[in-house]
Amino acid sequence: MNQKSLSAQNKTHKQILSFLKNQKISKVYTEFSSSLNTRGNLAVAVSGGPDSLALAYLAKCYSIKNKITVKFFLVDHKLRPESTKEAASVKKILKKIGITCEVLSWKGKKPSRNIQSLAREARYSLLAKECKKNNIKHLLLGHHSNDLFENFLIRVVRGSGLNGLVSFNKSVKYKDEDLNILRPLLNLEKNDLINILSLIHI
């Protein structure tokens, strides 16, 4: 990297970290950081919702502070005509805070039944493949405490046993692969994450 590019990067990093001076953001970042507590390279699954956008920002701060690499991925399932345009819009939003996001497309014929489950399986498969390619062993998801309660209630209604109820842990292995799925926002509420976006002007 030449001197000019390095200077521009340092300026961007300084701007990104400057938001941590805000007490509310600092409190959320501290919770996020202590929950994560890893020095390995990371990948972040971005959906475009406030939870994943806030996660992207927090992960970017974490990468700068700990001098690690973080890759950001968004899966375009191509199940709706406007999905590709929406993915491009999310990329543009993240660019404002110095984040480069790569879009992964679910190619091939789409199912007509059990769409949600198969789309989720395809999403994890695409993300796991990219993590393996980049030698990344930790994938971050933006699930927060509201998701945890919702998932708990759904599983209770369905009559899931204890194994089903603990599937939303902070850290789980993805199948038999050398990949950990981490949920560092589980102690945070959705409003905390929405507030972050407002404070960093997203």
Side-chain angles (χ1 to χ4, degrees), residues 42-47 52 55 71-77 101-106 119-143 174 177-182:
L42 306 168
V44 176
V46 182
S47 66
S52 72
L55 173 65
K71 296 281 186 180
F72 299 86
F73 301 114
L74 186 153
V75 175
D76 178 7
H77 296 90
C101 182
E102 183 180 346
V103 177
L104 311 175
S105 297
W106 183 20
R120 183 170 57 250
E121 190 177 310
R123 179 166 66 252
Y124 280 113
S125 178
L126 284 166
L127 291 166
K129 186 178 177 183
E130 286 302 312
C131 287
K132 189 174 183 179
K133 189 198 297 184
N134 289 279
N135 196 29
I136 292 172
K137 302 186 186 305
H138 304 292
L139 172 65
L140 308 189
L141 303 184
H143 296 125
Y174 176 70
E177 298 186 28
D178 191 18
L179 177 65
N180 299 307
I181 294 177
L182 308 180

Side-chain angles (χ1 to χ4, degrees), residues 81-163:
E82 63 272 23
S83 67
T84 301
K85 188 177 179 181
E86 288 171 359
S89 178
V90 173
K91 280 188 70 171
K92 194 174 178 181
I93 290 169
L94 289 173
K95 201 72 177 173
K96 289 180 182 178
I97 49 172
I99 293 174
T100 301
C101 182
E102 183 180 346
V103 177
L104 311 175
S105 297
W106 183 20
K107 297 174 182 176
K109 189 178 179 182
K110 302 300 182 287
S112 56
R113 293 182 180 180
N114 202 19
I115 297 172
Q116 192 174 4
S117 177
L118 292 172
R120 183 170 57 250
E121 190 177 310
R123 179 166 66 252
Y124 280 113
S125 178
L126 284 166
L127 291 166
K129 186 178 177 183
E130 286 302 312
C131 287
K132 189 174 183 179
K133 189 198 297 184
N134 289 279
N135 196 29
I136 292 172
K137 302 186 186 305
H138 304 292
L139 172 65
L140 308 189
L141 303 184
H143 296 125
H144 43 76
S145 63
N146 304 68
D147 293 321
L148 181 63
F149 295 137
E150 183 181 336
N151 181 69
F152 178 82
L153 290 173
I154 288 171
R155 290 186 178 279
V156 167
V157 170
R158 288 177 179 170
S160 296
L162 286 176
N163 289 337

